[in-house]
C-alpha cells in the first residue's frame, strides 16, 4: 500500500489501517453473530426438531462453519465500513453485515463438505473431513444440502424487508452456480485414472480458478457490501472484473506457495509421533496448477517427458524430479515477474475507478494478499 502509484489514496489507506486495529473487536462480534444465527436455525419453525436432530445439526455446524480464517465473512464488514466513508457503522449495520458474512462462510462450508467427498480427502483444516467421522459418512451429502438451505433461511429472516433482498438471493444463486460450474471443469479435467497433461493450459487454469474460487471468495463479499450500501451491482461490472482478476492472482500465488513457500512459514503438520515440514500436494495430486501449466509452455520435449512420467505420482523421487524441473525452468522467476505485472495492472485499474471509497475497498483486498507468504 506504500506504492507511489496509489499514494493518492492515503486518507483511505489510513482509515483502512485504523479499521484493522478494530478487527479483533469485530471478529469477536462476528463470532457472537454466529451463535445468534445458529440458535435461529436450531429453532426454525419450518421444521419440528427432535433432540437427536437438533444435536446433529449443532455439531455439524460447529464442526464445519466457524473454522478457518473467516476472511471472506469479515471482508463484508470491512468493505461496508470503507464504503461508509469512514463513518462508524451502526450496531444494526454491523449485525447485518456479519450475517451476510456468515452466509458466505456457510456457502464455503457447503462447498468444502461436498468437495472433500468428491476428492476423497482425509483432512480439512487440520482435522478429519466431516464425512470421515464415525456415524457421518455419506450423511454429509445431506448435511451439505442443509448448509446451503440455511443461507436462504438467514436471508429470509433478516433481509426480507430490505429493498435489496431479491438482489441478495440472485447474487448467492448466481455465485453458487458459477462455483459449482468451476468445480465441474476442475473435476472433468482431472479425472481419476485419466491423467492427461494435454488437457492442461493457461486458459483452462484461469477458467477453473475464475469460477471455482474468485467469484465467491473475492467478488461475493464486496457485492454484499455494495448492496447494503444501496448500490446497484449492474453499475459495478468494473469492480467485479478487478476482483476476479485479483482472485486469479491469489490462486496463482497459492499454486506458487504450494511448491516454493518456506515450510516453516506455512507451519508444520503432525504425522503420528513425528513432526515434519510439508508444503503442498499439488504435484502428487495431479492438480491443474499454474506451475505445471507454465512448465508445459516452457519445456522442451525431453522435459515434457519428465513431466509426463512423474507428475501426479505420490512418490518422493517423482516429486523431487518435478521440483528440479521447475527450478531448471526458473519458474520462481517467472512467478515473480507475473506477480509484478499483475500488481501493476491491478493498481492501475483501481486508480482508474471514479469512487475513492470503492478504491479503498479494492486496495484493502489487494493489501491482504500482495506478497503474502502463506
Amino acid at each position: 500500500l506504500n506504492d507511489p502509484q496509489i499514494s493518492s489514496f492515503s486518507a483511505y489507506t489510513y482509515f483502512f489501517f485504523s479499521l484493522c486495529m478494530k478487527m479483533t473487536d469485530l471478529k469477536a462480534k462476528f463470532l457472537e453473530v454466529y451463535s445468534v444465527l445458529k440458535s435461529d436455525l436450531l429453532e426454525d419453525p419450518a421444521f419440528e426438531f427432535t433432540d437427536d436432530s437438533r444435536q446433529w445439526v449443532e455439531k455439524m455446524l460447529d464442526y464445519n462453519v466457524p473454522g478457518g480464517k473467516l476472511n471472506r465473512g469479515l471482508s463484508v464488514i470491512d468493505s461496508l465500513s470503507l464504503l461508509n466513508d469512514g463513518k462508524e457503522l451502526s450496531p444494526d449495520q454491523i449485525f447485518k453485515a456479519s450475517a451476510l458474512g456468515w452466509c458466505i462462510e456457510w456457502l464455503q462450508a457447503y462447498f468444502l463438505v461436498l468437495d472433500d467427498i468428491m476428492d476423497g480427502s482425509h483432512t480439512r483444516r487440520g482435522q478429519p473431513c466431516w464425512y470421515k467421522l464415525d456415524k457421518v459418512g455419506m450423511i454429509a451429502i445431506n448435511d451439505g444440502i442443509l448448509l446451503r438451505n440455511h443461507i436462504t433461511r438467514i436471508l429470509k429472516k433478516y433481509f426480507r424487508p430490505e429493498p435489496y433482498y431479491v438482489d441478495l438471493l440472485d447474487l448467492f444463486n448466481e455465485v453458487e452456480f458459477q462455483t459449482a460450474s468451476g468445480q465441474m471443469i476442475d473435476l472433468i479435467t482431472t479425472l481419476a485414472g485419466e491423467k492427461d497433461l494435454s488437457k492442461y493450459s493457461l486458459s483452462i487454469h484461469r477458467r477453473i480458478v475464475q469460477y471455482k474460487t474468485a467469484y465467491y471468495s473475492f467478488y461475493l463479499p464486496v457485492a454484499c457490501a455494495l448492496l447494503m450500501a444501496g448500490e446497484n451491482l449492474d453499475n459495478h461490472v468494473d469492480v467485479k472484473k478487478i476482483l476476479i482478476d485479483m482472485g486469479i492472482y491469489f490462486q496463482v500465488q497459492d499454486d506458487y506457495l504450494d511448491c516454493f513457500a518456506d515450510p516453516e512459514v506455512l507451519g508444520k503438520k503432525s504425522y503420528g509421533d513425528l513432526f515434519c515440514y510439508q508444503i503442498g500436494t499439488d504435484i502428487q495430486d495431479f492438480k491443474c496448477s499454474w506451475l505445471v501449466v507454465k512448465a508445459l509452455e516452457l519445456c522442451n520435449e525431453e522435459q515434457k517427458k519428465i513431466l509426463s512420467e512423474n507428475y501426479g505420482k505420490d512418490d518422493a523421487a517423482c516429486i523431487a524430479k518435478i521440483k528440479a524441473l521447475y527450478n531448471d525452468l526458473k519458474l520462481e522467476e517467472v512467478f515473480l515477474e507475473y506477480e509484478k505485472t499483475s500488481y501493476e495492472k491491478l493498481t492501475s485499474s483501481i486508480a482508474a475507478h471514479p469512487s475513492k471509497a470503492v478504491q479503498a475497498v479494492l486496495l484493502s483486498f489487494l493489501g491482504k494478499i500482495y506478497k503474502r507468504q502463506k
Side-chain angles (χ1 to χ4, degrees):
L1 291 177
N2 292 322
D3 192 290
Q5 295 181 62
I6 54 177
S7 58
S8 60
F9 309 133
S10 57
Y12 282 92
T13 303
Y14 173 79
F15 173 67
F16 168 63
F17 283 115
S18 298
L19 182 66
C20 287
M21 299 297 289
K22 301 176 184 176
M23 285 308 289
T24 302
D25 288 340
L26 279 177
K27 188 168 184 178
K29 290 179 181 177
F30 189 63
L31 289 167
E32 287 174 12
V33 174
Y34 167 74
S35 297
V36 173
L37 299 178
K38 183 176 74 169
S39 295
D40 290 340
L41 294 166
L42 294 175
E43 300 296 334
D44 194 321
F47 177 68
E48 190 175 331
F49 280 92
T50 62
D51 289 342
D52 285 347
S53 62
R54 185 177 282 107
Q55 288 169 14
W56 179 278
V57 172
E58 182 171 19
K59 179 182 177 182
M60 184 269 290
L61 291 178
D62 288 343
Y63 198 89
N64 293 294
V65 177
K69 298 175 184 175
L70 307 177
N71 285 338
R72 294 171 182 82
L74 288 166
S75 292
V76 180
I77 312 171
D78 181 7
S79 299
L80 184 62
S81 297
L82 292 164
L83 291 171
N84 209 34
D85 289 323
K87 299 172 191 171
E88 191 170 341
L89 297 178
S90 70
D92 183 63
Q93 286 176 309
I94 292 174
F95 180 88
K96 285 184 174 172
S98 297
L100 287 180
W102 278 115
C103 284
I104 298 173
E105 295 295 335
W106 246 270
L107 189 69
Q108 158 91 334
Y110 155 60
F111 290 143
L112 295 185
V113 165
L114 297 184
D115 186 62
D116 286 340
I117 297 171
M118 287 181 265
D119 289 350
S121 300
H122 295 279
T123 60
R124 167 72 63 183
R125 295 169 176 165
Q127 60 184 4
C129 298
W130 175 245
Y131 84 100
K132 283 290 185 180
L133 295 188
D134 290 342
K135 299 183 182 179
V136 178
M138 291 304 104
I139 298 173
I141 296 173
N142 192 68
D143 290 333
I145 295 169
L146 276 176
L147 287 165
R148 177 59 183 96
N149 277 271
H150 285 166
I151 296 168
T152 56
R153 308 305 293 171
I154 294 168
L155 294 178
K156 181 179 179 181
K157 181 174 177 69
Y158 291 106
F159 295 93
R160 194 171 186 179
E162 301 293 344
Y164 53 87
Y165 174 60
V166 172
D167 294 315
L168 277 177
L169 293 175
D170 283 347
L171 175 64
F172 274 89
N173 286 337
E174 183 166 300
V175 169
E176 181 193 9
F177 169 69
Q178 289 165 326
T179 308
S181 298
Q183 172 75 340
M184 172 196 64
I185 298 171
D186 192 11
L187 290 169
I188 65 177
T189 305
T190 58
L191 280 173
E194 294 185 22
K195 294 179 178 178
D196 182 2
L197 285 174
S198 68
K199 291 182 178 180
Y200 289 2
S201 66
L202 201 57
S203 62
I204 285 292
H205 178 269
R206 181 185 175 89
R207 189 175 291 265
I208 290 171
V209 172
Q210 174 180 343
Y211 288 100
K212 184 178 176 180
T213 303
Y215 277 103
Y216 92 91
S217 296
F218 283 79
Y219 174 62
L220 183 56
V222 176
C224 285
L226 285 168
L227 288 174
M228 277 196 71
E231 295 288 330
N232 185 331
L233 295 182
D234 291 340
N235 298 332
H236 292 283
V237 176
D238 53 344
V239 173
K240 180 192 285 189
K241 184 181 183 306
I242 291 169
L243 287 163
I244 296 308
D245 286 344
M246 210 179 291
I248 292 167
Y249 158 65
F250 175 85
Q251 186 59 54
V252 171
Q253 194 182 43
D254 213 51
D255 292 350
Y256 165 79
L257 291 172
D258 183 90
C259 181
F260 287 103
D262 181 347
E264 294 195 25
V265 173
L266 284 186
K268 52 187 179 178
K269 297 185 178 183
S270 171
Y271 294 89
D273 294 327
L274 299 175
F275 283 91
C276 57
Y277 289 105
Q278 175 166 316
I279 301 180
T281 60
D282 284 358
I283 293 172
Q284 52 265 50
D285 291 344
F286 199 73
K287 291 291 184 182
C288 184
S289 159
W290 183 82
L291 292 173
V292 76
V293 166
K294 292 304 293 184
L296 286 165
E297 280 188 1
L298 298 170
C299 65
N300 57 35
E301 287 304 312
E302 184 180 342
Q303 291 168 325
K304 192 171 287 188
K305 185 180 178 185
I306 294 172
L307 266 180
S308 179
E309 290 176 351
N310 295 280
Y311 197 73
K313 293 183 179 177
D314 194 3
D315 175 88
C318 294
I319 295 167
K321 287 178 183 178
I322 296 297
K323 290 188 176 183
L325 176 58
Y326 286 174
N327 286 324
D328 291 343
L329 294 171
K330 296 181 169 37
L331 288 190
E332 193 161 8
E333 293 178 22
V334 174
F335 167 76
L336 292 174
E337 180 58 32
Y338 164 85
E339 182 171 57
K340 178 176 178 290
T341 303
S342 296
Y343 179 73
E344 290 171 353
K345 179 183 175 185
L346 286 165
T347 52
S348 176
S349 298
I350 292 168
H353 197 281
S355 166
K356 290 288 193 291
V358 172
Q359 288 175 1
V361 171
L362 296 171
L363 286 172
S364 76
F365 269 80
L366 186 56
K368 290 170 190 172
I369 64 172
Y370 181 57
K371 291 288 185 183
R372 69 189 176 98
Q373 298 300 308
K374 59 180 180 178

